[in-house]
Amino acid sequence: MSESKKPEKDFTPEVDAAIAEATPLVQVEAVTFRYPVREPVWLELVETLRGVTEGKIFLETPRARLTLLLAKFHERLAVDPSSAPPPKPDPATGKPATPPTPFESLVKACDLLNELQVETYSSMDRREKTEFILEQMRLMVIVAKEKDNQAKLSKTSIPGDKKVMAVDGEPEWTKVRVGGRKVHEGFLTEKGNEELKLKYYDLMIQFALRHSAYLDVAKYFHKIWETPVIKEEEEGRGREALENIVYYVVLAPHDNEQSDMINRLYLDPALAKLELHYNLVKCFITRELVRWPSIEGIYGPTLRSTPVFLVKDEDGERRWEDLHTRVIEHNVRVISVYYSRITLPRLTSLLDLSPKATEEVLCRLVVSGTVYARIDRPAGIVNFKKKETAEDILNDWASDVGRLMGIVEKTWMEMNAALAVRTTTKS
C-alpha cells in the first residue's frame, strides 16, 4: 500500500509507524496487535498483507494470526450482520454488491481457517497450534450443524423433492474427525492445558453424538471426568460428567469394549455415591431380566428431565427409544443363558414385545453375533443352543479324555506315594 493511497487519519500513530517500516513482518505484527480505526481500510490492509506473506515460510505464523483475526471478523458478521462495512460497488454495473448472509459469513470464516495447515508450521509452538486446530474444529462444527438444520428443514418443507433438498454437513463433520486426529491427547493431559482439553473433548462429543456413537461419547466424558479440575467438583461438573458416562455407556450397543467399560464403571467407588445411577448400571451388569415398565417407573422421571433423554426433544426421544432397545437386548442375552429352547409366546411375554418386534430383535442380535438363535416358526420355538458339528464333538471328546487321563495320572502318583510311605514305615 503506497503512501499516496493511505489517508493520514485512518490508523493510530502506532500502526502508521509500523506500516512505514519496510519489512512485511513488522507490518503483520502491527496489524495483529493494533486495532483499526476504519474497518474497510483495515480489511483492505489485512487482505494486502495476507497476499504479500503468502508462500513465505518465515512469515507463515504471522500470516496465520492475521487469518485468525479475519476469520473472527467474518464470524462476528454472522452474529451481527448490521456491523458489516458498506459493500463495494460492482465494477461492471456500478451498483452496490449484495451483502453476504450470516451463513455465508460463517462459511467464509470457516474456509479462511481451513486454508491453514498449522500442524506443519515449525515456527509455531505446540500450544498455539492446538488452539488453531480447535478453532478450526469449532467453526466446522457450527457450519455442519447449520447445514444439518437446513437439510432437515428442506426435507420437512418439500418431502420427496430431491432437487431442492439442501446438502447436510457430513463433509464438515468428516473434517472435524480429521482435525481431532491432529491434536495430541497426551499434550492435553499436561498441567496448564485443562482448558484446551475440555474444549477438545466437548467438540469430539458433539461429533460422536452426530453419528450416535454412544460408546465414544462415554469415553470422552470419562476423559473429562478424569481431569483434576472437574473431578474435584463432586456436586458440579464432576457429577454431571459421571452421570453422562452412565447414560451413554448403557446406551452403547453391547460388545466386549462396552462390557469392559460398564463393569469397570460399576466398580468405581465414585459411582456408589450416586445411588440411582449405580442401580441403573447394576441392572445391565447382573444376569437378571429387566422389565421395561419398571425402568420407566423407577428411572423415567429422573432420566427424562436430563438433556440426554429430554421429553419432546427429537434427540431425547430417539435416545429414550435406544435405551428401550438396550433393555430388550440385555433381556435376550439373559434368556439365551438360562434357556436352550423357549416358545415364542413365552419369549414375547418376557420381553414385553409383539411377536413381530421379538423376531426383529432376535434377527438383529443374531446378525451382529451377540447371540445364537434359530426360530422354528411352524412349531413356535426359539432354539438358543448351537448345533454342534462333528469337529466340535471330537474336540469335546478329546478334551474330556485328556482331563480323565490327568485325573488317572494324579491318582496313580498319589497311590505310589502312599505305598512308598507304607513300605518305609514297615522297614
Side-chain angles (χ1 to χ4, degrees), residues 96-377:
T98 304
T101 63
F103 179 68
E104 290 174 346
S105 299
L106 194 60
V107 172
K108 177 68 174 177
C110 183
D111 292 340
L112 282 170
L113 279 189
N114 282 336
E115 294 175 358
L116 304 176
Q117 304 297 326
V118 294
E119 66 274 6
T120 64
Y121 292 179
S122 58
S123 58
M124 185 179 291
D125 62 75
R126 176 178 279 187
R127 182 179 179 86
E128 191 173 4
K129 285 182 183 180
T130 305
E131 291 174 348
F132 263 92
I133 294 173
L134 293 180
E135 191 66 17
Q136 290 174 340
M137 293 172 61
R138 184 185 68 83
L139 284 176
M140 284 188 289
V141 166
I142 297 174
V143 173
K145 287 185 175 181
E146 185 64 27
K147 286 188 175 182
D148 287 342
N149 292 334
Q150 292 180 3
K152 190 182 299 183
L153 290 174
S154 65
K155 292 178 182 179
T156 305
S157 59
I158 310 179
D161 192 349
K162 297 181 180 180
K163 295 182 180 179
V164 298
M165 283 188 181
V167 180
D168 63 8
E170 187 59 34
E172 281 72 23
W173 288 116
T174 303
K175 292 178 182 179
V176 172
R177 180 182 60 186
V178 174
R181 293 173 179 174
K182 297 177 183 177
V183 178
H184 192 275
E185 296 188 33
F187 172 72
L188 298 178
T189 59
E190 296 179 4
K191 189 176 181 180
N193 295 333
E194 291 84 1
E195 183 180 352
L196 296 178
K197 179 181 179 181
L198 297 178
K199 184 177 180 180
Y200 169 73
Y201 284 115
D202 178 66
L203 294 170
M204 295 307 297
I205 286 170
Q206 296 181 59
F207 168 78
L209 287 176
R210 166 62 168 72
H211 299 85
S212 298
Y214 297 131
L215 186 59
D216 290 339
V217 177
K219 291 179 183 177
Y220 297 144
F221 271 115
H222 193 270
K223 293 287 187 180
I224 292 176
W225 182 65
E226 287 180 333
T227 307
V229 178
I230 302 298
K231 211 166 189 177
E232 290 173 358
E233 301 181 15
E234 295 184 358
E235 296 300 326
R237 291 182 295 175
R239 180 189 178 96
E240 181 182 354
L242 186 57
E243 290 177 354
N244 283 316
I245 295 172
V246 172
Y247 298 149
Y248 287 107
V249 77
V250 299
L251 280 173
H254 177 80
D255 56 19
N256 292 335
E257 193 174 7
Q258 187 268 352
S259 178
D260 176 67
M261 185 173 184
I262 196 172
N263 277 278
R264 285 189 287 108
L265 179 64
Y266 179 68
L267 298 176
D268 197 310
L271 183 63
K273 300 177 182 179
L274 307 178
E275 184 179 358
L276 186 72
H277 300 80
Y278 178 83
N279 292 331
L280 178 61
V281 173
K282 186 178 180 181
C283 292
F284 291 88
I285 292 294
T286 56
R287 288 186 174 181
E288 296 179 2
L289 292 178
V290 181
R291 307 300 293 266
W292 177 246
S294 64
I295 293 290
E296 286 184 307
I298 298 174
Y299 306 101
T302 301
L303 298 184
R304 298 293 272 172
S305 62
T306 63
V308 181
F309 303 101
L310 192 61
V311 181
K312 295 182 180 180
D313 178 72
E314 183 179 354
D315 293 332
E317 295 292 346
R318 176 170 49 83
R319 295 186 192 116
W320 187 249
E321 289 299 322
D322 289 340
L323 179 62
H324 187 194
T325 303
R326 299 297 170 257
V327 170
I328 295 171
E329 292 174 352
H330 168 77
N331 290 339
V332 172
R333 291 194 302 271
V334 171
I335 292 171
S336 66
V337 172
Y338 293 108
Y339 286 85
S340 58
R341 299 169 75 240
I342 187 174
T343 62
L344 193 57
R346 175 60 176 163
L347 179 61
T348 300
S349 65
L350 291 176
L351 297 179
D352 297 314
L353 295 174
S354 64
K356 182 179 180 181
T358 302
E359 289 190 14
E360 291 177 355
V361 172
L362 275 176
C363 292
R364 186 173 64 251
L365 293 180
V366 169
V367 171
S368 64
T370 304
V371 298
Y372 175 88
R374 293 293 182 269
I375 302 176
D376 185 353
R377 282 182 173 174

